[in-house]
Amino acid sequence: MKLFCIYCFVLLAILPNLCSAQKHDTLSNIKVFAKKNSVSSTSPTPVQILNTVDPSKTNSISVADALKHFAGVFVKDFGGVGGLKTVSVRSLGANHTGILYDGIALGNAQAGQIDLGKFSLDNISEIVLHNSGPSDLLSTAKAFSYASLLTLKTISGDNNIDTTNAISLKIQSGSFGYISPSLAIQKKINNRIIVSLSAQYQNAVSDYPFISYENNKSRLRRNNSGISSFRMETDIGFQVNEHNKINFKSYLYNSKRGLPGAIVFFNPISNQQLDEKEMFVQGSWQKSLSLKSEILFSGKYEQDLSYYLDPSYPNNYGRLENEFHQKEIYLSGVYSYKFSNNLKMSFAADAFNNKLTRTDFFAKNFATPTRNSFLNNIAIQFKKNRFEFTGNLLYTIIDEKVKTGETANSFNRFSNGLAFSIQPFKTVPFRTRIFYKNIFRAPTFNDLYYTNVGNTKLSPEFADQYNIGFTYEKNQLLIFKRCWITIDAYYNEVRDKILAAPRQNLFQWSVQNIGKVKIKGIDIAHHTVLKDWKNIQVNTDITYTFQQALDVTNAASPLYKTQLSYTPKHSGSASLSVQHKKILLNYNILFSSYRYKQGDQVYQNLLQPFTTNDFSVSYFTKKKYADFKFMFEANNIFNTQYEIIKYYPMPLSNYRLTLNISFKQKKTK
Amino acid sequence: MNFRKTSIAFVSVVAILAACKKVDVPVAVAPVLLSPAVGEYILSEGSFGGNNTKLAFYTNNTVSLSGDFFLQQNPTLTAGLGEIGNDAIIYGSKMYVVMNGSGRVTVLNAASAILIKNISFLNNTVNKQPRYAVGAKGKVYVTSYDNTVSVIDTTSLSIIKSITVGANPEGIAASSNFLYVANSGGFNTTPDSTVSVIDLNTEQEIRKVKVGVNPYKIEINTAGNIFVSAYGDYGNIPASISVINGSTNTTSTSLGSNFAYSNIRIFGNIAYFYGGTGTAKVYNTATNTIVRNEFITDGTVVQTAYGLNIDEQNGDVYIADAGNYTTAGKVICFNSMGVKKFSFSTAPGINPNKILFKR
């Protein structure tokens, strides 16, 4: 209710001002090619960036879709707009990927992984994937606590004081009953305060056809996979001066979806439902205390609800409900100090309080855990000429309490990361980089306390990463305006991997620290921008990933030293975009070699290799009063039937149409 | 009773075996009546969400194995049997495969495994979830998680009646006059702990008898007593074995804490308890004495005994080993003294749970 009041307040504050914004100007140049690549090629740890209008290049509607175009990334996609989509980087598992949303970690202490299908690209301006930790020393301790870090920057959160008042309306519609209107408003209250709002409604029936598994001929339709969701974000940026900024964000997400489940042969019945409500408010204050020192304070309060219903569960009540409430309070402070032009250090301290309660009728002796986590991090960066060194030491304390039953062990751990990068020859834009990082992920509340399955004796799951890479970046080379390539080879080890395994029979599962995985891989990313030719701009992106991820859990098991389930040896993407004046064409290809699901690597567990081809055409035009953008997307144009998770068929050919109108006020000066 | 026994012995050798529950035939007599098995059908239930139930066939004489015998015999049915084949019985000339996830009972020719008919257990928006079957008096009775026992007419191969029992019934067994159904209540927060007794003539539940918590499997010994294994609550309450006196059908007694087994198979008067400590405990139900605490005597390792059956012609014991539940299982054949005779893989089948003999 409190949050709702804040929303109302913000809305009321904005509306009158908007009405007075009569005079509009055209949008600044559409920054299609604004890739900030230099970071990717100079960073001592691998960094991949997709920014500004780029997300729309990938024929994606969610962050998860866009991430499929990154090297080393596997998006576990259960299909459809509402299907769960989690991200595993370099085969370490989704629980090792952290996500920062406008600088502050998204939490899910219950499941430990975030559904990135929830994050529409509508309000995202930049997606960055760091294979180790953050590049910026002025980061929270939590940001250093993952094996890989994904940072999402929102458009509404980018409260640059140079922006002007703007309203943007967008409507998107597509195959299988997809419709999504959205609205973005940005209002400059005065020279210091900017307020913005982004709201989006999504509805998808998602009853897409797929080729029947039962006879490989007829077409069936996906059943119970619809979703409707609403998201609203408001941001307030307060800039005292260039060195003193305060940002405040509130976020609301509501969704209702069907859980279609895996295709069950001869049985099309599916009726399980999931409702989710998420709300958070977060703020940060960044201030330069002097030319040498800087502080960053952040805080967050989050409240989530998830309600699961199985309306045909064969118990006495004929239904099963799970209603979980999560609460998170988070505070962080960072101080950075520049000793010299070469040496910079930072210290960060974070504190989290997470609570999970279960309130449904069927809750019986639920543990109701509360977790307090404290993270302290020291980071150092040394840069001289063509050499760079970064390192960090993280100390984590986790302490838990429960209302009923056994409590998980408290624990504390040191983790660290080291990275070097060097450009050996002054005149050759070639760099080499090495990094090492060890980190762990704590057992989630589900791992510890899930009824009958959870195991409070669990210890953390560890991941070690070793990486050696080369980057080459050259401007004005032959026909290229810009050209860069990065190649990274890595070795990862996951120890004490937390897995659920049956005990005496298939009714009794328990979560245990039993897995061990050894991963060898190569990630290649290549990007070019061609020199303009007759007003035609062309750029290309190619990524390739090789992965050998071997299960070395048990030497006696038939699965010993076999490739991890759902891990292709080869995968990659290619995209080409061509712009001529107001028209932009994009063509994207995604490729994956064969994989197996869990179990024996035999034909019945095989997932066939696939290639998908997506195409889009956009048209931009500027009128006196507004800018218009039309986009037509054709996805999977060759009608390939493929699956990422066995028996979760992905959609065949499908289409989307987008219309975007932006009104922008002229600068008064 | 005598007349019954004799008639059963003569009516149909196959039918007796098939039902597997009607072992009223004295142990010593059995080898005379039965011809040696020509092979074994192995049902592997597959994995949850895997649509990978397999029926394998292993021939004793030529020592050949067909891991996907159903597909071999029904080459156009490429989708196979479907999701979670929970049970299979041979009754008369037919095999009934109970497909829990796919919501149907698949009826095959018992000699060839060629499909005869699929009987749907999908009821509008609900899968009744069929679990276990038993044949009696020319009909096949199938328990379903929706608290019913469906009666299948074995000539029309359709469901002709539904008998309401307790919550989430699992195992079912038939004596000459009664059906016994284990009401697990496994989907409730507090499991059930009763066995429904159904009069075979009226096909009505006449009584519920209290047994261990979360009952699972039911077997009947030569003396006509009913043995019920139960899972317990997977926590504080351990698995248990209860015995219902077959002459009164009113009360049960527990075998005690030394019998924490969730699964059971009886041959004559000899019970094999499994799904607990070790591979299987052998128990003489006539003398109420433990024959061997561990059935296996030659050190053969069984990782997960998931199914057990006895070749009634020679007393050999076949154990289906589900291993780690994710990779191909195997079947190991022992003589009655617990010495391994041979074994074979059920690949590509995983989680083998039922062994049937073809004669």
Side-chain angles (χ1 to χ4, degrees):
Chain A
M1 199 55 207
K2 256 186 212 163
L3 277 174
F4 184 71
C5 294
I6 293 165
Y7 276 111
C8 293
F9 170 76
V10 172
L11 270 176
L12 289 171
I14 297 169
L15 286 172
N17 290 302
L18 283 169
C19 302
S20 64
Q22 296 281 335
K23 288 182 181 175
H24 301 293
D25 193 15
T26 50
L27 257 179
S28 54
N29 288 334
I30 290 154
K31 291 187 261 174
V32 178
F33 306 121
K35 269 206 170 184
K36 289 193 285 182
N37 292 323
S38 46
V39 181
S40 301
S41 44
T42 58
S43 164
T45 54
V47 174
Q48 295 177 67
I49 302 172
L50 194 65
N51 82 336
T52 327
V53 188
D54 273 355
S56 65
K57 278 172 64 181
T58 57
N59 284 40
S60 308
I61 53 175
S62 77
V63 169
D65 296 333
L67 282 166
K68 291 177 184 172
H69 298 263
F70 281 55
V73 168
F74 171 68
V75 178
K76 206 171 190 185
D77 185 347
F78 289 78
V81 179
L84 177 71
K85 294 166 180 64
T86 60
V87 173
S88 165
V89 180
R90 294 183 168 182
S91 296
L92 295 168
N95 290 67
H96 282 286
T97 311
I99 298 153
L100 302 188
Y101 199 70
D102 278 338
I104 296 177
L106 290 171
N108 186 337
Q110 183 183 9
Q113 35 186 275
I114 308 273
D115 179 6
L116 281 163
K118 276 182 207 167
F119 293 92
S120 150
L121 286 179
D122 189 60
N123 189 31
I124 300 290
S125 63
E126 186 183 74
I127 301 170
V128 184
L129 177 69
H130 303 266
N131 277 112
S132 172
S135 323
D136 187 356
L137 241 53
L138 197 71
S139 296
T140 61
K142 185 69 181 168
F144 290 90
S145 73
Y146 306 103
S148 48
L149 181 71
L150 192 64
T151 62
L152 307 178
K153 234 184 217 169
T154 65
I155 295 168
S156 61
D158 187 13
N159 288 313
N160 191 319
I161 210 73
D162 296 330
T163 52
T164 51
N165 294 338
I167 301 180
S168 166
L169 295 167
K170 193 160 127 183
I171 181 133
Q172 203 167 45
S173 182
S175 308
F176 324 127
Y178 179 71
I179 185 142
S180 172
S182 68
L183 164 77
I185 301 168
Q186 197 155 41
K187 172 68 189 165
K188 196 168 175 178
I189 307 287
N190 59 38
N191 279 333
R192 287 179 174 172
I193 300 174
I194 293 177
V195 177
S196 50
L197 175 141
S198 163
Q200 181 181 21
Y201 172 76
Q202 268 190 339
N203 191 78
V205 182
S206 219
D207 56 342
Y208 55 86
F210 63 95
I211 296 163
S212 166
Y213 291 95
E214 289 162 25
N215 57 22
N216 290 319
K217 277 185 211 130
S218 59
R219 284 194 180 188
L220 300 175
R221 273 182 177 273
R222 207 72 171 104
N223 175 19
N224 189 38
S225 69
I227 178 168
S228 71
S229 71
F230 176 72
R231 173 188 57 83
M232 182 157 78
E233 283 166 80
T234 53
D235 286 86
I236 302 170
F238 181 67
Q239 189 163 343
V240 182
N241 58 48
E242 220 182 299
H243 308 292
N244 191 356
K245 296 176 203 167
I246 295 169
N247 283 299
F248 174 79
K249 177 189 267 300
S250 62
Y251 179 98
L252 176 80
Y253 175 83
N254 262 354
S255 72
K256 237 180 162 47
R257 74 185 77 195
L259 299 172
I263 297 291
V264 175
F265 291 1
F266 319 117
N267 173 9
I269 296 167
S270 169
N271 47 19
Q272 296 171 18
Q273 303 288 320
L274 179 70
D275 296 353
E276 291 177 300
K277 288 187 168 82
E278 289 168 20
M279 292 191 280
F280 64 78
V281 282
Q282 67 182 37
S284 66
W285 176 37
Q286 186 177 348
K287 185 174 176 355
S288 301
L289 300 175
S290 69
L291 283 174
K292 289 185 168 176
S293 62
E294 236 181 319
I295 50 159
L296 170 69
F297 287 107
S298 330
K300 180 179 184 173
Y301 174 76
E302 177 160 3
Q303 205 174 315
D304 298 344
L305 161 74
S306 85
Y307 173 78
Y308 162 86
L309 173 70
D310 181 347
S312 54
Y313 193 73
N315 60 5
N316 289 348
Y317 303 92
R319 69 177 202 283
L320 179 70
E321 291 171 5
N322 273 199
E323 187 175 304
F324 285 104
H325 299 262
Q326 284 197 73
K327 272 183 194 167
E328 176 174 289
I329 301 166
Y330 171 39
L331 288 170
S332 163
V334 194
Y335 174 76
S336 84
Y337 189 80
K338 209 169 166 180
F339 290 93
S340 69
N341 280 337
N342 306 121
L343 183 66
K344 202 175 165 185
M345 276 184 82
S346 80
F347 174 75
D350 289 16
F352 286 84
N353 174 274
N354 289 86
K355 190 174 182 180
L356 179 68
T357 49
R358 186 176 164 184
T359 53
D360 57 85
F361 176 74
F362 301 94
K364 182 186 153 194
N365 299 329
F366 184 67
T368 317
T370 307
R371 174 180 291 182
N372 289 315
S373 327
F374 303 95
L375 293 88
N376 288 288
N377 186 63
I378 296 174
I380 183 167
Q381 183 181 51
F382 180 80
K383 264 188 193 176
K384 189 156 191 187
N385 302 328
R386 304 184 309 274
F387 174 78
E388 186 177 342
F389 165 80
T390 61
N392 83 293
L393 183 66
L394 175 75
Y395 181 60
T396 310
I397 303 170
I398 293 182
D399 186 43
E400 238 154 88
K401 271 192 218 105
V402 292
K403 265 194 182 157
T404 40
E406 253 176 77
T407 312
N409 295 329
S410 300
F411 65 88
N412 50 69
R413 286 279 185 296
F414 278 104
S415 327
N416 66 307
L418 297 171
F420 304 90
S421 124
I422 189 163
Q423 184 184 346
F425 315 105
K426 201 171 183 180
T427 51
V428 185
F430 164 82
R431 297 183 77 96
T432 176
R433 60 189 178 196
I434 293 174
F435 90 78
Y436 162 76
K437 180 162 189 170
N438 74 66
I439 197 71
F440 66 90
R441 67 110 169 160
T444 65
F445 285 156
N446 278 351
D447 295 335
L448 295 166
Y449 306 111
Y450 202 87
T451 313
N452 294 336
V453 177
N455 174 4
T456 52
K457 301 277 185 291
L458 287 176
S459 56
E461 170 183 318
F462 294 92
D464 288 321
Q465 301 184 79
Y466 306 84
N467 183 94
I468 179 161
F470 307 96
T471 69
Y472 182 83
E473 178 174 11
K474 180 89 178 159
N475 295 340
Q476 308 301 333
L477 175 75
L478 305 170
I479 58 162
F480 303 112
K481 197 195 279 178
R482 295 190 58 202
C483 169
W484 63 263
I485 184 163
T486 66
I487 302 173
D488 286 279
Y490 48 89
Y491 174 74
N492 299 339
E493 229 179 83
V494 183
R495 288 174 287 123
D496 297 338
K497 193 175 166 76
I498 297 173
L499 296 170
R503 284 184 289 173
Q504 283 179 354
N505 52 64
L506 282 177
F507 291 102
Q508 286 171 282
W509 288 64
S510 86
V511 183
Q512 296 159 41
N513 287 99
I514 47 173
K516 191 171 181 187
V517 188
K518 288 183 175 174
I519 303 144
K520 286 176 192 155
I522 297 168
D523 289 353
I524 299 174
H526 175 54
H527 174 74
T528 65
V529 181
L530 270 62
K531 287 177 179 165
D532 288 10
W533 180 73
K534 290 187 178 175
N535 250 328
I536 296 174
Q537 292 122 351
V538 177
N539 64 2
T540 63
D541 276 285
I542 297 169
T543 66
Y544 166 78
T545 304
F546 166 81
Q547 262 179 36
Q548 187 202 54
L550 302 182
D551 177 351
V552 290
T553 301
N554 175 4
S557 160
L559 296 179
Y560 187 66
K561 287 198 170 170
T562 58
Q563 183 87 346
L564 217 58
S565 61
Y566 294 121
T567 311
K569 264 202 174 136
H570 309 279
S571 60
S573 71
S575 69
L576 169 75
S577 78
V578 180
Q579 186 170 25
H580 179 63
K581 291 178 181 168
K582 293 176 170 178
I583 296 175
L584 170 67
L585 303 174
N586 281 305
Y587 195 91
N588 298 305
I589 300 171
L590 279 177
F591 159 77
S592 168
S593 67
Y594 69 88
R595 297 85 64 215
Y596 290 101
K597 71 181 281 252
Q598 301 91 330
D600 290 315
Q601 305 205 327
V602 295
Y603 183 78
Q604 62 170 2
N605 290 336
L606 179 74
L607 287 96
Q608 298 289 352
F610 70 85
T611 306
T612 59
N613 292 259
D614 301 339
F615 169 78
S616 76
V617 52
S618 312
Y619 175 78
F620 311 91
T621 181
K622 293 177 182 182
K623 298 286 177 209
K624 214 174 178 183
Y625 50 92
D627 293 352
F628 291 87
K629 182 186 168 189
F630 302 93
M631 180 156 80
F632 170 75
E633 293 166 87
N635 301 314
N636 193 2
I637 54 179
F638 297 119
N639 225 10
T640 307
Q641 180 66 76
Y642 68 108
E643 47 187 5
I644 293 174
I645 305 299
K646 190 85 174 165
Y647 300 123
Y648 284 85
M650 299 294 286
L652 299 168
S653 293
N654 60 90
Y655 310 94
R656 268 195 302 272
L657 206 58
T658 308
L659 168 63
N660 192 352
I661 311 169
S662 304
F663 306 94
K664 208 161 197 182
Q665 190 182 28
K666 258 184 194 156
K667 282 185 185 172
T668 38
K669 273 180 195 170
Chain B
M1 274 308 273
N2 261 340
F3 170 74
R4 264 229 94 70
K5 266 187 197 167
T6 329
S7 64
I8 284 170
F10 282 101
V11 165
S12 160
V13 165
V14 182
I16 297 164
L17 288 185
C20 291
K21 316 293 184 206
K22 291 187 181 170
V23 274
D24 316 47
V25 186
V27 181
V29 183
V32 183
L33 287 169
L34 295 173
S35 54
V38 293
E40 291 82 40
Y41 287 113
I42 314 298
L43 181 73
S44 292
E45 69 178 39
S47 53
F48 183 73
N51 294 305
N52 54 348
T53 297
K54 301 289 171 192
L55 183 70
F57 184 62
Y58 178 85
T59 52
N60 291 3
N61 299 329
T62 54
V63 190
S64 73
L65 172 76
S66 172
D68 199 343
F69 191 65
F70 177 80
L71 183 64
Q72 184 186 310
Q73 297 298 88
N74 301 275
T76 58
L77 304 177
T78 52
L81 285 159
E83 170 83 353
I84 307 291
N86 198 65
D87 192 20
I89 61 163
I90 293 174
Y91 185 65
S93 61
K94 300 183 186 86
M95 185 190 298
Y96 297 80
V97 185
V98 184
M99 299 304 304
N100 173 261
S102 288
R104 62 191 198 175
V105 168
T106 297
V107 186
L108 310 177
N109 180 318
S112 65
I114 290 170
L115 178 75
I116 298 169
K117 195 186 174 186
N118 285 301
I119 303 167
S120 178
F121 276 63
L122 302 182
N123 181 7
N124 296 318
T125 59
V126 179
N127 174 7
K128 290 163 73 71
Q129 296 207 55
R131 296 293 295 168
Y132 287 93
V134 69
K137 293 198 167 182
K139 291 173 188 164
V140 168
Y141 296 86
V142 182
T143 59
S144 290
Y145 272 155
D146 72 340
N147 310 348
T148 62
V149 172
S150 299
V151 186
I152 294 174
D153 181 292
T154 51
T155 49
S156 70
L157 295 179
S158 56
I159 299 173
I160 50 168
K161 193 179 172 180
S162 178
I163 306 165
T164 301
V165 290
N168 316 128
E170 291 274 10
I172 182 167
S175 69
S176 41
N177 291 314
F178 299 102
L179 279 175
Y180 300 90
V181 179
N183 300 313
S184 77
F187 286 82
N188 289 317
T189 36
T190 310
D192 204 322
S193 49
T194 62
V195 163
S196 287
V197 183
I198 294 167
D199 184 328
L200 264 175
N201 297 312
T202 61
E203 291 180 334
Q204 299 266 326
E205 179 190 277
I206 52 168
R207 193 179 298 121
K208 282 195 174 82
V209 181
K210 198 152 172 60
V211 291
V213 172
N214 199 356
Y216 178 44
K217 286 284 186 69
I218 303 189
E219 294 276 287
I220 303 173
N221 72 353
T222 308
N225 290 322
I226 297 91
F227 286 72
V228 184
S229 66
Y231 271 120
D233 70 350
Y234 314 119
N236 299 327
I237 304 168
S240 67
I241 305 286
S242 304
V243 189
I244 300 172
N245 184 327
S247 52
T248 58
N249 286 330
T250 49
T251 54
S252 77
T253 51
S254 170
L255 289 189
S257 58
N258 287 332
F259 294 83
Y261 294 90
S262 57
N263 227 324
I264 183 171
R265 182 78 183 101
I266 290 178
F267 170 51
N269 276 324
I270 301 298
Y272 295 83
F273 300 130
Y274 61 108
T277 315
T279 301
K281 180 177 275 197
V282 191
Y283 183 76
N284 187 324
T285 61
T287 60
N288 293 328
T289 51
I290 294 169
V291 180
R292 272 203 305 284
N293 269 314
E294 174 55 63
F295 162 67
I296 298 171
T297 51
D298 64 351
T300 304
V301 176
V302 174
Q303 199 181 338
T304 312
Y306 204 58
L308 186 153
N309 207 355
I310 299 109
D311 183 342
E312 299 183 3
Q313 189 262 333
N314 56 15
D316 284 353
V317 176
Y318 288 73
I319 296 179
D321 186 352
N324 59 10
Y325 299 101
T326 50
T327 56
K330 61 181 174 185
V331 169
I332 309 165
C333 174
F334 297 89
N335 67 18
S336 57
M337 294 315 293
V339 176
K340 178 178 164 179
K341 290 175 82 175
F342 60 89
S343 72
F344 55 90
S345 164
T346 61
I350 64 172
N351 297 330
N353 61 7
K354 192 85 189 204
I355 300 132
L356 297 170
F357 300 94
K358 181 184 170 183
R359 297 188 197 274

